[in-house]
Amino acid sequence: MEGGGRPSAVQAALLAASTALTALLYSVYRQKARVARGLQGARRVRLDGELRAVLLEAPGRCVPYAVIEGLVQSVKETLSSQFVENCKGVIQRLTLQEHKMVWNRTTHLWNDYEKIIHQRTNTTPFDLVPQEDGTGVAVRVMKPLDAAELSLETVYEKFHPSVQSFTDVIGHYISGERPKGIQETEQMLKVGTALTGVGELVLDNATIKLQPPKQGMPYYLSGVDFDSLLQKQESNVRFWKILTIVFGFATCAVLFFILRKQYRHHRERQHLRQMQDEFRQAQERLMREMNAEGGETLKNACVICLSNIKSCVFLECGHVCSCKECYRALPEPKRCPICRQAISRVVPLYNS
């Protein structure tokens, strides 16, 4: 603690950082909890012949947050894989990723480094259809690339290692970068994939559409079932809740430490004032007794207990005012009762 009982700069910075981090974690936790509550309250609808009737009865022909499950089916043409025969899909993502080793001058180690140098995503309109054929109902999926949890299946992956000459190797060691190669990847959302959609379900003329919700809730297109998706979000909420509680306790501990220091400083100041008052009263009483009795006996009495003979010389101030027992009872750090100067050492006084 600094003078006056104020917390030090380090303690204040630690408390501010801990409080800010706890507030940030709590904000993330609240956002995750809101998403989980929204998923719990989402309306589950079946992809069957009754779906159109359900939307006609809904206000504005819209279910603001609905859960629907079905199979992926292209509307017109499909996308064909560039590397795998007879592989058809509705979303295709081609990625070229560079892999290299970079020298870290701080740790003096070679670290792996990856960088996407090119990525292209192709899409074609697609519907979600029920697993049972013949129902004649389909849900058009809008803006699929805006959806979270959209997991594309990797259908092709190949690593092309770099070919390096001896001169290249020397140059790479000098520059601190060693290329390893290029990884080529193709990912697709295949036709016939089971998909769980969570978003706004709306009847637009004769087309049923699944689109991003307008209430700020997340839009999902996931390859897992809804129960697994909900369980994942609830587990995420628990994780952020535990982090918030841990850092909240840490903030409370730092605050308790600072307040405890301030309380102890306050108690020490009170004790010091009390000792000063007692010393002043003892001096006044001693002066009265010396004036009343002539005071030869009280002249050599300890100014603290007024019963024992002075037997200590305090250095460096040189005052002789206390007996040995009262010196030992002085609080740490020991200071002279007369001038309040710190006592570096004590020399015993022998009265002849």
mmCIF file with all atom_site columns, all heavy atoms in Angstrom, residues 26 62 65 72 75 89 127 202 241 291-292:
data_model
loop_
_atom_site.group_PDB
_atom_site.id
_atom_site.type_symbol
_atom_site.label_atom_id
_atom_site.label_alt_id
_atom_site.label_comp_id
_atom_site.label_asym_id
_atom_site.label_entity_id
_atom_site.label_seq_id
_atom_site.pdbx_PDB_ins_code
_atom_site.Cartn_x
_atom_site.Cartn_y
_atom_site.Cartn_z
_atom_site.occupancy
_atom_site.B_iso_or_equiv
_atom_site.pdbx_formal_charge
_atom_site.auth_seq_id
_atom_site.auth_comp_id
_atom_site.auth_asym_id
_atom_site.auth_atom_id
_atom_site.pdbx_PDB_model_num
ATOM 1  N N   . TYR A 1 26  ? -18.393 -12.110 -18.836 1.00 0.00 ? 26  TYR A N   1
ATOM 2  C CA  . TYR A 1 26  ? -19.822 -12.135 -18.506 1.00 0.00 ? 26  TYR A CA  1
ATOM 3  C C   . TYR A 1 26  ? -20.666 -11.716 -19.703 1.00 0.00 ? 26  TYR A C   1
ATOM 4  O O   . TYR A 1 26  ? -21.743 -12.274 -19.941 1.00 0.00 ? 26  TYR A O   1
ATOM 5  C CB  . TYR A 1 26  ? -20.091 -11.209 -17.320 1.00 0.00 ? 26  TYR A CB  1
ATOM 6  C CG  . TYR A 1 26  ? -21.544 -11.152 -16.915 1.00 0.00 ? 26  TYR A CG  1
ATOM 7  C CD1 . TYR A 1 26  ? -22.161 -12.253 -16.328 1.00 0.00 ? 26  TYR A CD1 1
ATOM 8  C CD2 . TYR A 1 26  ? -22.294 -10.001 -17.122 1.00 0.00 ? 26  TYR A CD2 1
ATOM 9  C CE1 . TYR A 1 26  ? -23.498 -12.208 -15.967 1.00 0.00 ? 26  TYR A CE1 1
ATOM 10 C CE2 . TYR A 1 26  ? -23.629 -9.953  -16.755 1.00 0.00 ? 26  TYR A CE2 1
ATOM 11 C CZ  . TYR A 1 26  ? -24.221 -11.057 -16.182 1.00 0.00 ? 26  TYR A CZ  1
ATOM 12 O OH  . TYR A 1 26  ? -25.544 -11.009 -15.824 1.00 0.00 ? 26  TYR A OH  1
ATOM 13 N N   . CYS A 1 62  ? -45.350 -16.585 -41.231 1.00 0.00 ? 62  CYS A N   1
ATOM 14 C CA  . CYS A 1 62  ? -43.938 -16.662 -40.864 1.00 0.00 ? 62  CYS A CA  1
ATOM 15 C C   . CYS A 1 62  ? -43.799 -17.247 -39.465 1.00 0.00 ? 62  CYS A C   1
ATOM 16 O O   . CYS A 1 62  ? -44.556 -16.889 -38.565 1.00 0.00 ? 62  CYS A O   1
ATOM 17 C CB  . CYS A 1 62  ? -43.305 -15.269 -40.933 1.00 0.00 ? 62  CYS A CB  1
ATOM 18 S SG  . CYS A 1 62  ? -41.650 -15.177 -40.257 1.00 0.00 ? 62  CYS A SG  1
ATOM 19 N N   . TYR A 1 65  ? -38.599 -18.185 -35.623 1.00 0.00 ? 65  TYR A N   1
ATOM 20 C CA  . TYR A 1 65  ? -37.430 -19.022 -35.311 1.00 0.00 ? 65  TYR A CA  1
ATOM 21 C C   . TYR A 1 65  ? -37.895 -20.465 -35.275 1.00 0.00 ? 65  TYR A C   1
ATOM 22 O O   . TYR A 1 65  ? -38.562 -20.895 -34.333 1.00 0.00 ? 65  TYR A O   1
ATOM 23 C CB  . TYR A 1 65  ? -36.800 -18.609 -33.990 1.00 0.00 ? 65  TYR A CB  1
ATOM 24 C CG  . TYR A 1 65  ? -35.310 -18.869 -33.923 1.00 0.00 ? 65  TYR A CG  1
ATOM 25 C CD1 . TYR A 1 65  ? -34.472 -18.522 -34.964 1.00 0.00 ? 65  TYR A CD1 1
ATOM 26 C CD2 . TYR A 1 65  ? -34.736 -19.456 -32.798 1.00 0.00 ? 65  TYR A CD2 1
ATOM 27 C CE1 . TYR A 1 65  ? -33.112 -18.751 -34.901 1.00 0.00 ? 65  TYR A CE1 1
ATOM 28 C CE2 . TYR A 1 65  ? -33.378 -19.689 -32.723 1.00 0.00 ? 65  TYR A CE2 1
ATOM 29 C CZ  . TYR A 1 65  ? -32.566 -19.332 -33.779 1.00 0.00 ? 65  TYR A CZ  1
ATOM 30 O OH  . TYR A 1 65  ? -31.210 -19.563 -33.720 1.00 0.00 ? 65  TYR A OH  1
ATOM 31 N N   . VAL A 1 72  ? -30.724 -32.613 -48.503 1.00 0.00 ? 72  VAL A N   1
ATOM 32 C CA  . VAL A 1 72  ? -30.326 -31.607 -49.485 1.00 0.00 ? 72  VAL A CA  1
ATOM 33 C C   . VAL A 1 72  ? -30.693 -32.100 -50.884 1.00 0.00 ? 72  VAL A C   1
ATOM 34 O O   . VAL A 1 72  ? -30.380 -33.235 -51.272 1.00 0.00 ? 72  VAL A O   1
ATOM 35 C CB  . VAL A 1 72  ? -28.818 -31.335 -49.385 1.00 0.00 ? 72  VAL A CB  1
ATOM 36 C CG1 . VAL A 1 72  ? -28.366 -30.408 -50.515 1.00 0.00 ? 72  VAL A CG1 1
ATOM 37 C CG2 . VAL A 1 72  ? -28.477 -30.742 -48.035 1.00 0.00 ? 72  VAL A CG2 1
ATOM 38 N N   . VAL A 1 75  ? -31.977 -27.508 -56.829 1.00 0.00 ? 75  VAL A N   1
ATOM 39 C CA  . VAL A 1 75  ? -33.164 -26.989 -57.509 1.00 0.00 ? 75  VAL A CA  1
ATOM 40 C C   . VAL A 1 75  ? -33.067 -27.238 -59.010 1.00 0.00 ? 75  VAL A C   1
ATOM 41 O O   . VAL A 1 75  ? -34.002 -27.748 -59.633 1.00 0.00 ? 75  VAL A O   1
ATOM 42 C CB  . VAL A 1 75  ? -33.327 -25.485 -57.218 1.00 0.00 ? 75  VAL A CB  1
ATOM 43 C CG1 . VAL A 1 75  ? -34.507 -24.912 -57.994 1.00 0.00 ? 75  VAL A CG1 1
ATOM 44 C CG2 . VAL A 1 75  ? -33.518 -25.267 -55.718 1.00 0.00 ? 75  VAL A CG2 1
ATOM 45 N N   . GLY A 1 89  ? -22.860 -31.983 -55.616 1.00 0.00 ? 89  GLY A N   1
ATOM 46 C CA  . GLY A 1 89  ? -23.178 -31.183 -54.446 1.00 0.00 ? 89  GLY A CA  1
ATOM 47 C C   . GLY A 1 89  ? -23.809 -29.862 -54.819 1.00 0.00 ? 89  GLY A C   1
ATOM 48 O O   . GLY A 1 89  ? -24.001 -29.546 -55.995 1.00 0.00 ? 89  GLY A O   1
ATOM 49 N N   . ASP A 1 127 ? -32.847 -27.098 -51.985 1.00 0.00 ? 127 ASP A N   1
ATOM 50 C CA  . ASP A 1 127 ? -33.978 -27.244 -51.074 1.00 0.00 ? 127 ASP A CA  1
ATOM 51 C C   . ASP A 1 127 ? -33.667 -28.289 -50.021 1.00 0.00 ? 127 ASP A C   1
ATOM 52 O O   . ASP A 1 127 ? -32.753 -29.109 -50.165 1.00 0.00 ? 127 ASP A O   1
ATOM 53 C CB  . ASP A 1 127 ? -35.240 -27.673 -51.836 1.00 0.00 ? 127 ASP A CB  1
ATOM 54 C CG  . ASP A 1 127 ? -35.732 -26.607 -52.799 1.00 0.00 ? 127 ASP A CG  1
ATOM 55 O OD1 . ASP A 1 127 ? -35.391 -25.418 -52.590 1.00 0.00 ? 127 ASP A OD1 1
ATOM 56 O OD2 . ASP A 1 127 ? -36.427 -26.967 -53.774 1.00 0.00 ? 127 ASP A OD2 1
ATOM 57 N N   . VAL A 1 202 ? -40.655 -18.865 -43.741 1.00 0.00 ? 202 VAL A N   1
ATOM 58 C CA  . VAL A 1 202 ? -41.653 -17.943 -44.263 1.00 0.00 ? 202 VAL A CA  1
ATOM 59 C C   . VAL A 1 202 ? -42.246 -18.527 -45.547 1.00 0.00 ? 202 VAL A C   1
ATOM 60 O O   . VAL A 1 202 ? -41.553 -19.198 -46.329 1.00 0.00 ? 202 VAL A O   1
ATOM 61 C CB  . VAL A 1 202 ? -41.028 -16.550 -44.520 1.00 0.00 ? 202 VAL A CB  1
ATOM 62 C CG1 . VAL A 1 202 ? -39.889 -16.631 -45.509 1.00 0.00 ? 202 VAL A CG1 1
ATOM 63 C CG2 . VAL A 1 202 ? -42.073 -15.543 -44.979 1.00 0.00 ? 202 VAL A CG2 1
ATOM 64 N N   . LYS A 1 241 ? -19.665 -19.770 -18.545 1.00 0.00 ? 241 LYS A N   1
ATOM 65 C CA  . LYS A 1 241 ? -20.134 -19.482 -17.191 1.00 0.00 ? 241 LYS A CA  1
ATOM 66 C C   . LYS A 1 241 ? -19.056 -19.812 -16.170 1.00 0.00 ? 241 LYS A C   1
ATOM 67 O O   . LYS A 1 241 ? -18.815 -19.038 -15.228 1.00 0.00 ? 241 LYS A O   1
ATOM 68 C CB  . LYS A 1 241 ? -21.402 -20.291 -16.908 1.00 0.00 ? 241 LYS A CB  1
ATOM 69 C CG  . LYS A 1 241 ? -21.998 -20.021 -15.531 1.00 0.00 ? 241 LYS A CG  1
ATOM 70 C CD  . LYS A 1 241 ? -23.279 -20.814 -15.336 1.00 0.00 ? 241 LYS A CD  1
ATOM 71 C CE  . LYS A 1 241 ? -23.887 -20.527 -13.971 1.00 0.00 ? 241 LYS A CE  1
ATOM 72 N NZ  . LYS A 1 241 ? -25.135 -21.306 -13.766 1.00 0.00 ? 241 LYS A NZ  1
ATOM 73 N N   . ASN A 1 291 ? 5.536   18.425  39.639  1.00 0.00 ? 291 ASN A N   1
ATOM 74 C CA  . ASN A 1 291 ? 5.312   19.753  40.211  1.00 0.00 ? 291 ASN A CA  1
ATOM 75 C C   . ASN A 1 291 ? 4.766   19.657  41.620  1.00 0.00 ? 291 ASN A C   1
ATOM 76 O O   . ASN A 1 291 ? 5.059   20.493  42.475  1.00 0.00 ? 291 ASN A O   1
ATOM 77 C CB  . ASN A 1 291 ? 4.356   20.558  39.336  1.00 0.00 ? 291 ASN A CB  1
ATOM 78 C CG  . ASN A 1 291 ? 4.987   20.901  37.995  1.00 0.00 ? 291 ASN A CG  1
ATOM 79 O OD1 . ASN A 1 291 ? 6.215   20.985  37.887  1.00 0.00 ? 291 ASN A OD1 1
ATOM 80 N ND2 . ASN A 1 291 ? 4.147   21.073  36.973  1.00 0.00 ? 291 ASN A ND2 1
ATOM 81 N N   . ALA A 1 292 ? 3.947   18.615  41.844  1.00 0.00 ? 292 ALA A N   1
ATOM 82 C CA  . ALA A 1 292 ? 3.320   18.479  43.161  1.00 0.00 ? 292 ALA A CA  1
ATOM 83 C C   . ALA A 1 292 ? 4.291   17.901  44.183  1.00 0.00 ? 292 ALA A C   1
ATOM 84 O O   . ALA A 1 292 ? 4.290   18.301  45.349  1.00 0.00 ? 292 ALA A O   1
ATOM 85 C CB  . ALA A 1 292 ? 2.089   17.597  43.078  1.00 0.00 ? 292 ALA A CB  1
#
